[in-house]
Amino acid sequence: MDHPDSAVRTAADSLIQSIELAEAAEGLGVDGAYFRVHHFAQQLGTPAPLLAAVAARTTRIEIGTGVVDMRYSNPLGFAEDIAAADLISAGRLQLGVSRGSPEQVIDGWRYFGFEPAEGATDADMARRHTEVFLRAIEGEHFARPNPRPMFPNPPGLLRIEPHSAGLRERIWWGAGSDATARWAASEGMNLMSSTLKADESGEPLHVQQRRQIEAFRDEWAQHDHGFEPRVSVSRSIIAITNDTDRRYFLGGGEREDQFGSIEPGSRAVFGRSYAAEPDVLVDQLRSDEAIRAADTLLLTVPTQLGVDYNAHLLESILTHVAPELGWR
């Protein structure tokens, strides 16, 4: 937004600074750069070009999304775009997909040309799109070739091109409940659990997420997917190390989980924010059961404050918090 307190005034700022922050994160030794995707909002809405651009400007860091709303995605066109970005990255994509979050507009996927099948919900449509997408990136041959093609065809049915080997094992499902975590496991997708989850027990978020992770791993063990899954949880964590940090974050934000409704008929638990001096943070984070159960932690950062400041926040975590908790 064009706001005096924001370092990100335009869409171009957002995209270019996203690339620059990924470069800075790689230089600091951060393991991944993941981007949220939202439609009809002044945020990032087209992941494939951004992922490809980050891939071209980096060499080591994982590049991902958290998450792509599959209600809006043409699964075959999306498969082409994502495979191309993964090839540019040399196999560094970690793609989070899901049913998506509450929208900016009413049934926004309808404007993209999609309708649920008769008797199905928009969540059913997201899962159906995902299943088609997964088969496409697996390299399924399904399309009948033209007997008089423009270019010579290999024998048999054709698949989506380009194909990126190994991409199928790097797809994550953003699960908002225990049931969708089990579905992700049955489909052979890694688990991504955010700072928001369906409230299924009234317990704190980290306890409910730990149970969700256990449900996911129990279901995974019932299938032979041929690889070990990964599990991520997201947290807002700010290490207070200077006066600017104190001005922005000390005393702000929610210090306890919040319970409420984001959609009619559903109750959710919203995760607390962590902002404290490093020694206090370490003590607080030691008791987070979901962080201990997961193998990947996604840190949400206030990107509107600019590349340099966010690089400082990341470096503070890497220097003062991560070593004490054995995250590296």
Side-chain angles (χ1 to χ4, degrees), residues 191-249:
L191 175 64
M192 187 174 282
S193 190
S194 185
T195 53
L196 170 67
K197 181 186 175 297
D199 176 26
E200 300 183 74
S201 68
E203 296 170 293
L205 172 70
H206 72 101
V207 176
Q208 295 199 45
Q209 278 187 320
R210 190 257 301 159
R211 296 187 192 281
Q212 183 189 44
I213 292 168
E214 291 170 349
F216 170 81
R217 288 180 172 149
D218 287 347
E219 180 65 31
W220 188 280
Q222 306 304 311
H223 306 270
D224 182 16
H225 295 306
F227 67 100
E228 288 298 315
R230 289 173 61 182
V231 173
S232 75
V233 295
S234 299
R235 294 290 184 270
S236 176
I237 304 173
I238 304 293
I240 305 295
T241 62
N242 62 32
D243 289 340
T244 302
D245 301 337
R246 292 184 184 91
R247 185 169 69 254
Y248 278 139
F249 297 107

Side-chain angles (χ1 to χ4, degrees), residues 73-81 129 132-133 136 142 160:
S73 295
N74 177 306
L76 299 185
F78 189 49
E80 289 183 337
D81 292 344
H129 284 183
V132 174
F133 169 74
F142 63 92
I160 288 292

Side-chain angles (χ1 to χ4, degrees), residues 98-144:
S98 189
R99 173 261 187 190
S101 58
E103 302 175 89
Q104 295 296 109
V105 300
I106 298 171
D107 295 345
W109 30 269
R110 297 186 190 276
Y111 296 101
F112 280 57
F114 299 114
E115 296 281 345
E118 186 175 353
T121 67
D122 62 318
D124 296 329
M125 180 176 66
R127 287 188 284 269
R128 177 171 56 83
H129 284 183
T130 302
E131 290 165 351
V132 174
F133 169 74
L134 292 175
R135 292 196 301 271
I137 63 171
E138 282 172 351
E140 179 184 60
H141 292 73
F142 63 92
R144 187 164 60 90

